[in-house]
């Protein structure tokens, strides 16, 4: 269905190929997952399949890409629209109309499909993706999961034979991600659509994949094959694969179900060990919130009478579905959002009453989109500006950055950095002010496993230095690794609050893969298991 | 399933163009402020609760900036005429070859007032455009475009969605700037906010264009080179005619006949061009935007206001253009005030905006009967009466 014939792609001004020697065929009706580290060319590969590369991005494509028998060199993306449906990373950026029905019909209108057919397909798609209840709503009023399903639906109505999805669940909470993936799974099975998909959080998707393309990086040829074979050697793999490698299971399981069937032996061995406690002894109270009520004009309050205390050296994860008020809570803790009622105190100070420059020395926030904070044209200039803003000796920010992520050149433009490097830069800038409390909003979005590990280490080190860290995230695996306390937010209230292990193990949505494989034994991470096995009981 | 909740996307634009015409036909600050008030009230009453609709404030601020610039320029580049000298700036002697230009010197009340009127008029025009952008769903306009205008449509959609996105990202980045201790005001803040906002806007524009392309927007059938040249020629001629015509009609000092003629030629050439060009595009409509009674009334109320002011500017010049030499207090008159109040009608006629919680059951549809020939052929006169009575009820 999709054929890459010895394809290499090099962008203008680049010194190395973005993709080298891709020579493979994805057969009809397969769900193919593209994996690789940041910058390994995943988006380029997906773009090449839809004609987006090189028609929109420029660059040189050698070799040939055939989609449904059509050569992408001779067909612009719009002429491939009846064969390939594309769903981008951020569905909102790609919406052309403003309401669900219009959006679903847009591609069909462009293809000149008759109205009765359009009507029928819109109805079918609404049902297929569970969108019938929201059909008349403006797109902007939908939740992130619904928006993503609309984006998939609008690509589907044209009945393409190939669907290309770039990180379809990166912005979604675990529940919404399940919904989207279940819908995809159904499409592959019911309609026989070929799906080409990339995703950083492999633990979410790998069990649905029929095949995997692993991109090694610049200059390396990709490997293609069944998930078990490819992931055994790939440099990125979900926790369940790491666990399987540790336990030496063959054939390599890629799903929780597959792993559980081979895990009986490991479970009985681990039953003899004690799982490490996730609870760290906290220091003094760093942040105290009482009776916090926050809302926007003309709407019910987002946060309602909320109490919370955070100790020094504690790493707490804030979870909850999209739109539960996690970001609102972080911004009110930082002081930029004034609460209607209630108080936020860092020590004895109220951040919302302080000027912004002093506020940062109490509470630092890294927002969901860290790029918003960067505006200079080199990393070096950003670092120097950071020193000035924090009134610290020259070089403070640079030193912090090198500690979090070494090897970011001073002359690099921040816009050319990878997601992980950019996050590190913003983190360094914010940490230069030596805050008492650090707030992170969705820090793992768009990060590959290696960058996530690095972030985890940085957070752990901060906690050791006595900084209280609160991170809002959907990433259950990351939470299992770094957090010692989990808060779940729903309906403006904290509905669960406790040590990570207790909260995470009590619900399957929030349980990490290792916990699911080893249940009822209370283990959360591969690291803990490896540690326990290496120490004789 | 068709819904009749939404107005025809052109209705709000016609309404706003009517108001803008009214504004272009007067310098009377009372009328101009009334126009701004009317536009502002309707926006406040019928603004959809969505991203693009939050930009109206930006247009108001832009209006103030325009007035400011106009006044400052007037003060610097010679506001000498008139007896009532308010103050004197040091005057700069310019060489002979720049004899027509004055820098500094006396500033008179008369000149200043006339500059203020002028600035206010320009600001009002801007605010009318802002009201249309705020009220009408910009992306739905795209669907009313003929297929021949593919490239233009793409540009327009990207551009129109860009403005509110700029405002949105500016707010976001400004908030983010405060995280680094910046106050978010002052010249340096402008630079530090401008950079990321522009970069983001550019990225999003490219993403939208790519998404539209990937979804087959503007797929072309085969077309001969001759037909393409004919389309281009006709459209160019049409555009030229429209521009000249619009200038002739809107500018009160130009000869009326020439304006109308070139407008007519422009319209005909454009229609022909679109007809020829549209043959190359295959495109179908999921839902046609029908002209229903409400849409007609909304458009008519704005156009009505425009007509009233055109009449006033012709027969009651002293009211429409209050004299500034000598200075006189601007007067109100019944006809223009009634005409402008007419344009308030959409605040009640237009369907209530669908809010974020608008999981409205289909039964909440408007009781209008758009299909029937009676309502569709509604005469402007009748529309005006209804609108006036609606305004009077308030």
């Amino acid at each position: 269905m999709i054929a890459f014939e010895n394809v290499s792609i090099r962008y203008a001004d680049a010194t190395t190929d973005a993709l080298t020697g891709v020579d493979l065929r994805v057969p009809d009706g397969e769900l193919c997952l593209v994996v690789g580290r940041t910058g390994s060319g995943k988006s380029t590969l997906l773009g090449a399949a839809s004609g987006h590369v090189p028609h929109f991005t420029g660059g040189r494509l050698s070799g040939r890409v055939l989609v449904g028998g059509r050569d992408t060199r001779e067909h612009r993306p719009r002429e491939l629209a009846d064969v390939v449906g594309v769903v981008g990373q951020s569905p909102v950026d790609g919406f052309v109309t403003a309401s669900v029905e219009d959006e679903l019909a847009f591609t069909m209108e462009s293809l000149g499909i008759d109205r009765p057919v359009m009507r029928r397909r819109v109805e079918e798609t609404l049902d297929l993706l569970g969108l019938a209840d929201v059909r008349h709503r403006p797109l902007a009023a939908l939740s992130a999961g619904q928006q993503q399903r609309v984006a998939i639906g609008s690509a589907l109505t044209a009945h393409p034979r190939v669907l290309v999805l770039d990180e379809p669940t990166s912005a979604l909470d675990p529940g919404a991600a399940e919904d989207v993936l279940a819908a995809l799974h159904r499409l592959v099975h019911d309609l026989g659509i070929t799906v080409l998909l990339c995703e950083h959080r492999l633990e979410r998707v790998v069990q649905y994949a029929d095949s995997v393309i692993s991109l090694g990086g610049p200059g390396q040829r990709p490997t293609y094959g069944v998930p078990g074979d490819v992931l055994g050697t790939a440099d990125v793999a979900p926790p369940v694969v790491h666990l399987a490698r540790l336990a030496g299971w063959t054939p390599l399981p890629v799903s929780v179900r597959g792993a559980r069937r081979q895990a009986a032996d490991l479970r009985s061995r681990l039953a003899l060990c004690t799982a490490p406690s996730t609870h760290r002894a906290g220091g003094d109270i760093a942040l105290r919130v009482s009776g916090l009520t926050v809302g926007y004009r003309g709407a019910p309050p987002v946060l309602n009478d909320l109490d919370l205390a955070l100790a020094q050296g504690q790493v707490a994860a804030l979870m909850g579905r999209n739109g539960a008020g996690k970001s609102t809570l972080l911004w009110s803790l930082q002081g930029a959002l004034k609460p209607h009622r209630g108080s936020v105190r860092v020590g004895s100070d109220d951040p919302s009453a302080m000027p912004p420059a002093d506020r940062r020395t109490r509470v630092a926030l890294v927002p969901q989109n860290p790029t918003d904070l960067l505006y200079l044209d080199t990393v070096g200039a950003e670092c120097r500006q950071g020193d000035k803003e924090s009134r610290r000796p020259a070089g403070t920010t640079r030193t912090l950055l090198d500690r979090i992520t070494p090897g970011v050149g001073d002359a690099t433009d921040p816009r050319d950095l990878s997601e992980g490097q950019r996050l590190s830069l913003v983190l360094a800038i914010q940490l230069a002010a030596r805050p008492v409390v650090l707030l992170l909003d969705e820090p793992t979005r768009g990060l590959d496993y290696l960058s996530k590990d690095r972030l985890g280490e940085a957070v752990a080190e901060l906690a050791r230095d006595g900084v209280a860290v609160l991170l809002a995230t959907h990433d259950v695996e990351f939470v299992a690794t770094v957090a010692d306390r989990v808060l779940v937010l729903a309906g403006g209230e904290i509905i669960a609050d406790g040590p990570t292990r207790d909260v995470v193990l009590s619900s399957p949505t929030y349980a990490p893969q290792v916990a699911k494989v080893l249940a009822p034994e209370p283990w959360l991470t591969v690291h803990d298991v490896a540690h326990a096995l290496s120490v004789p009981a | 399933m068709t819904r009749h909740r939404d107005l025809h996307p052109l209705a709000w634009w016609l309404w706003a163009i009517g108001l803008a015409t009214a504004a272009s036909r007067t310098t009377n600050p009372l009328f101009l402020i009334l126009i701004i008030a009317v536009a502002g009230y309707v926006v406040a009453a019928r603004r959809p609760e969505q991203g693009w609709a939050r930009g109206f404030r930006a247009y108001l601020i832009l209006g103030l900036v325009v007035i400011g610039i106009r006044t400052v320029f007037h003060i610097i580049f010679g506001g000498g005429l008139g007896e009532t000298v308010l103050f004197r700036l040091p005057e700069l002697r310019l060489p002979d070859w720049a004899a027509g230009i004055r820098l500094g010197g006396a500033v008179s009340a008369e000149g200043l007032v006339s500059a203020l009127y002028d600035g206010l008029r320009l600001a009002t025009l801007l605010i009318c455009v802002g009201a249309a952008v705020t009220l009408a769903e910009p992306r739905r306009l795209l669907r009313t475009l003929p297929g021949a205008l593919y490239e233009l449509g793409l540009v327009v959609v990207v551009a129109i969605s860009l403005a509110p996105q700029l405002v949105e990202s500016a707010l976001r980045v400004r908030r983010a700037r405060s995280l680094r201790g910046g106050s978010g005001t002052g010249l340096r803040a402008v630079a530090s906010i401008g950079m990321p906002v522009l970069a983001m806007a550019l990225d999003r524009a490219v993403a939208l264009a790519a998404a539209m392309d990937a979804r087959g927007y503007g797929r072309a059938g085969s077309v001969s080179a001759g037909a393409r040249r004919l389309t281009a020629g006709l459209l160019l001629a049409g555009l030229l005619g429209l521009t000249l015509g619009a200038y002739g009609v809107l500018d009160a000092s130009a000869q009326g006949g020439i304006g109308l003629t070139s407008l007519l030629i422009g319209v005909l050439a454009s229609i022909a061009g679109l007809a020829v060009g549209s043959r190359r595009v295959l495109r179908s409509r999921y839902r046609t935007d029908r002209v229903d009674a409400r849409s007609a009334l909304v458009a008519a109320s704005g156009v009505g206001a425009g007509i009233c002011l055109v009449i006033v500017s012709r027969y009651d010049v002293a009211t429409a253009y209050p004299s500034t030499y000598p200075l006189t207090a601007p007067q109100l008159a019944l006809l223009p005030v009634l005409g402008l109040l007419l344009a308030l009608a959409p605040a009640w006629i237009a369907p209530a905006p669908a809010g974020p919680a608008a999981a409205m059951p289909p039964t909440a549809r408007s009781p209008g009967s758009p299909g029937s020939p009676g309502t569709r052929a509604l005469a402007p006169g009748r529309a005006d009466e209804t609108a006036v009575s609606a305004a009077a009820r308030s």
Side-chain angles (χ1 to χ4, degrees):
Chain A
M1 197 67 222
I2 312 170
F4 291 91
E5 296 179 355
N6 206 11
V7 173
S8 295
I9 294 169
R10 178 176 294 202
Y11 291 116
D13 303 330
T15 48
T16 51
D17 285 350
L19 278 181
T20 313
V22 187
D23 198 45
L24 52 95
R25 234 159 241 286
V26 182
D28 205 355
E30 192 166 281
L31 196 155
C32 178
L33 179 66
V34 183
V35 305
R37 297 203 42 205
T38 307
S40 58
K42 295 193 298 296
S43 294
T44 305
L45 185 77
L46 295 193
S50 64
H52 180 74
V53 180
H55 287 291
F56 246 87
T57 55
R60 243 183 75 84
L61 183 147
S62 59
R64 202 157 72 128
V65 183
L66 293 175
V67 187
R70 279 186 224 172
D71 191 335
T72 59
R73 271 186 303 191
E74 283 142 30
H75 295 83
R76 295 184 52 81
R78 70 178 84 129
E79 283 132 25
L80 292 167
D82 52 335
V83 194
V84 189
V86 181
V87 181
Q89 255 180 52
S90 160
V92 185
D93 285 354
F95 285 153
V96 186
T97 67
S99 80
V100 175
E101 271 191 76
D102 291 348
E103 192 63 25
L104 289 178
F106 185 83
T107 316
M108 291 190 286
E109 289 183 323
S110 305
L111 297 177
I113 292 170
D114 290 337
R115 196 180 303 177
V117 181
M118 277 202 257
R119 281 280 164 83
R120 224 175 47 232
R121 287 196 192 166
V122 166
E123 294 305 319
E124 287 166 6
T125 310
L126 286 172
D127 288 340
L128 185 69
L129 297 175
L131 290 165
D133 297 340
V134 295
R135 58 188 302 160
H136 295 313
R137 284 224 218 159
L139 290 168
L142 300 183
S143 72
Q146 288 166 333
Q147 284 177 339
Q148 191 59 272
R149 275 182 286 155
V150 171
I152 293 175
S154 61
L156 275 182
T157 46
H159 284 194
R161 290 152 69 198
V162 178
L163 201 57
V164 173
L165 302 112
D166 195 351
E167 300 208 27
T169 69
S170 67
L172 305 184
D173 60 64
E178 280 294 309
D179 284 354
V180 167
L181 291 167
L184 270 183
H185 191 61
R186 236 170 107 188
L187 292 174
V188 176
H189 281 256
D190 294 359
L191 306 176
I193 289 185
T194 313
V195 175
L196 195 61
L197 166 93
C198 88
E199 179 66 59
H200 275 304
R201 292 183 205 166
L202 297 180
E203 63 272 12
R204 284 184 171 177
V205 291
V206 80
Q207 64 266 36
Y208 298 110
D210 300 308
S211 62
V212 171
I213 300 176
S214 167
L215 298 170
Q220 287 184 41
R221 284 169 174 275
T223 40
Y224 170 75
V226 289
D229 294 349
V230 177
L231 289 179
T233 54
D235 53 359
V236 291
V240 69
V241 170
H242 284 297
L243 187 69
R245 284 186 198 165
L246 179 74
W249 293 330
T250 45
L252 193 79
V254 293
S255 67
V256 169
R257 182 165 169 268
R260 255 195 94 74
R261 291 163 65 187
Q262 303 187 44
D265 181 40
L266 181 64
R267 272 201 297 272
S268 53
R269 267 171 76 197
L270 284 173
L272 303 172
C273 313
T274 35
S277 162
T278 53
H279 192 70
R280 258 172 254 166
D284 297 340
I285 297 297
L287 173 86
R288 191 183 288 283
V289 178
S290 47
L292 183 73
T293 302
V294 185
Y296 298 99
R297 219 178 348 168
V302 183
L303 302 172
N304 205 354
D305 201 15
L306 195 130
D307 296 317
L308 171 68
L310 214 59
Q312 283 175 355
Q314 197 169 49
V315 180
L318 183 63
M319 306 192 78
R321 64 175 85 84
N322 291 104
K326 299 190 294 295
S327 295
T328 306
L329 177 57
L330 294 192
W331 281 95
S332 355
L333 296 185
Q334 194 269 339
L337 261 182
K338 287 234 187 316
H340 283 179
R341 273 196 310 279
S343 69
V344 177
R345 291 284 178 275
V346 179
S348 57
D349 305 315
D350 175 8
S352 68
M354 306 170 92
D358 296 340
R359 209 187 276 163
R360 325 177 45 227
T361 62
R362 306 298 193 281
V363 187
L365 170 62
V366 175
Q368 213 169 77
N369 192 348
T371 322
D372 288 356
L373 260 65
L374 303 174
Y375 60 98
L376 297 169
D377 52 1
T378 63
V379 171
E382 289 284 3
C383 287
R384 282 190 293 279
Q385 178 66 21
D387 294 338
K388 241 182 280 168
E389 283 161 351
S390 305
R391 293 185 283 256
R392 296 265 162 222
T396 311
T397 312
R398 184 71 233 189
T399 317
L400 280 168
L401 174 60
D402 288 336
R403 243 171 58 197
I404 304 168
T405 303
V408 182
D410 251 349
T412 327
D413 189 325
R415 293 175 55 77
D416 292 337
L417 298 178
S418 74
E419 297 275 356
Q421 290 171 328
R422 216 176 295 150
L423 179 73
S424 308
L425 175 58
V426 171
L427 199 58
I429 289 170
Q430 292 299 67
L431 288 176
R434 293 219 196 131
V436 182
V437 180
L438 174 67
L439 309 172
L440 300 166
D441 200 352
E442 284 296 336
T444 63
R445 193 166 164 186
L447 297 195
D448 57 21
Y449 287 110
L450 209 89
S451 315
K452 257 200 290 201
D453 289 347
R454 205 164 267 160
L455 176 67
E457 282 160 23
V459 167
E461 203 180 311
L462 283 171
R464 276 196 294 278
D465 293 348
V467 178
V469 182
L470 180 64
L471 49 105
T473 183
H474 295 315
D475 194 329
V476 290
E477 303 295 342
F478 187 66
V479 170
T481 329
V482 302
D484 46 279
R485 175 179 170 195
V486 174
L487 307 154
V488 181
L489 200 62
E493 290 169 46
I494 292 178
I495 55 160
D497 178 3
T500 303
R501 193 160 22 156
D502 299 355
V503 176
V504 146
L505 290 182
S506 60
S507 97
T509 327
Y510 291 116
Q513 284 197 314
V514 173
K516 287 178 184 164
V517 173
L518 297 178
E521 301 303 322
W523 298 82
L524 299 184
T525 63
V526 180
H527 180 265
D528 290 346
V529 174
H531 188 70
L533 292 180
S534 66
V535 183
Chain B
M1 189 172 135
T2 356
R3 292 168 303 147
H4 305 300
R5 291 184 47 82
D6 304 330
L7 288 183
H8 193 279
L10 280 177
W12 282 121
W13 279 96
L14 282 174
W15 171 82
I17 289 171
L19 273 184
T21 311
S24 73
R25 286 309 176 114
T26 180
T27 54
N28 189 329
L30 298 176
F31 294 159
L32 292 174
I33 287 171
L34 186 59
I35 292 174
I36 297 177
V38 165
Y41 185 80
V42 174
V43 167
R46 283 298 178 260
R47 174 176 62 174
E49 289 288 325
Q50 278 161 45
W52 84 83
R54 289 185 205 127
F56 189 64
R57 239 177 59 143
Y59 284 93
L60 289 177
I61 294 169
L62 193 64
L64 282 180
V65 171
V66 164
I67 296 177
I69 291 176
R70 180 73 186 84
T71 316
V72 169
F73 268 53
H74 173 82
I75 292 173
I76 296 174
F77 295 104
L81 291 172
E83 279 80 57
T84 336
V85 175
L86 291 177
F87 55 90
R88 275 177 196 284
L89 288 178
E91 189 169 344
L92 207 69
R93 290 269 159 226
L94 288 180
D96 284 346
W97 49 264
I101 305 169
R102 244 189 58 181
L103 275 182
V107 176
S108 72
E110 288 87 348
L112 199 63
V113 166
S114 121
L116 274 175
Y117 285 2
D118 227 40
L120 183 61
R121 177 157 71 160
L122 213 57
T124 313
L125 285 174
L126 268 174
I127 288 167
C128 289
V129 174
V133 172
T134 310
L135 288 164
E137 152 76 76
R139 293 178 184 195
R140 267 183 61 205
L141 258 185
L142 170 79
R143 304 194 312 143
T144 59
L145 271 183
L149 298 180
Y150 158 66
E151 285 84 2
L152 190 66
L154 186 72
V155 173
V156 168
V157 169
V158 170
I160 287 182
S161 4
L162 204 63
Q165 275 172 13
L166 272 176
V167 177
E168 255 185 87
S169 8
L171 291 176
R172 215 180 71 208
V173 172
R174 197 182 140 185
R175 204 169 68 153
R177 280 295 300 143
S178 77
L179 294 178
R180 281 182 75 168
S183 59
T185 51
L187 256 182
R188 283 178 63 186
V190 171
S192 68
I193 293 172
M195 247 296 288
V197 167
L198 280 180
M200 244 181 275
L202 219 64
D203 287 348
R204 287 178 80 162
V206 171
L208 179 58
M212 288 176 76
D213 199 44
R215 294 172 64 188
Y217 186 61
R219 277 161 73 97
S222 54
V223 63
S224 72
R228 211 179 303 137
R229 270 198 290 275
L230 182 66
T231 315
L234 281 172
L235 283 179
L236 200 64
L239 207 60
L240 210 65
L242 281 177
T243 314
L244 287 176
Y247 180 74
V249 171
L250 286 180
D251 181 20
S253 60
Q255 299 292 327
I258 300 173
L260 273 183
T261 323
S262 46
L263 193 64
L264 200 68
I265 294 174
V267 168
L268 288 178
S270 304
I271 291 173
L274 294 181
V276 174
S278 295
R279 274 189 304 187
R280 78 181 161 112
V281 181
L282 46 112
R283 204 179 154 72
S284 56
R285 296 269 157 90
Y286 176 67
R287 195 167 65 204
T288 40
D289 284 308
R290 272 186 288 186
V291 183
D292 60 356
R294 289 168 171 231
S295 305
L297 282 174
V298 166
S301 69
V303 172
I307 292 173
C308 283
L309 260 278
V310 168
I311 294 172
V312 171
S313 72
R314 197 149 285 187
Y315 299 105
D316 190 1
V317 182
T319 313
Y321 302 98
S323 156
T324 50
Y325 302 101
L327 270 180
T328 51
Q331 305 287 320
L332 280 175
L334 190 64
L335 176 68
V337 170
L338 279 184
L340 291 178
L341 286 180
L342 197 77
L344 261 185
W348 292 273
I349 301 174
M360 294 277 265
T363 45
R365 266 177 279 154
S366 76
S369 52
S372 68
T375 43
R376 215 188 287 179
L378 203 70
R382 264 182 61 201
D384 288 359
E385 280 164 31
T386 331
V388 170
S389 64
R393 268 205 309 273
S394 70

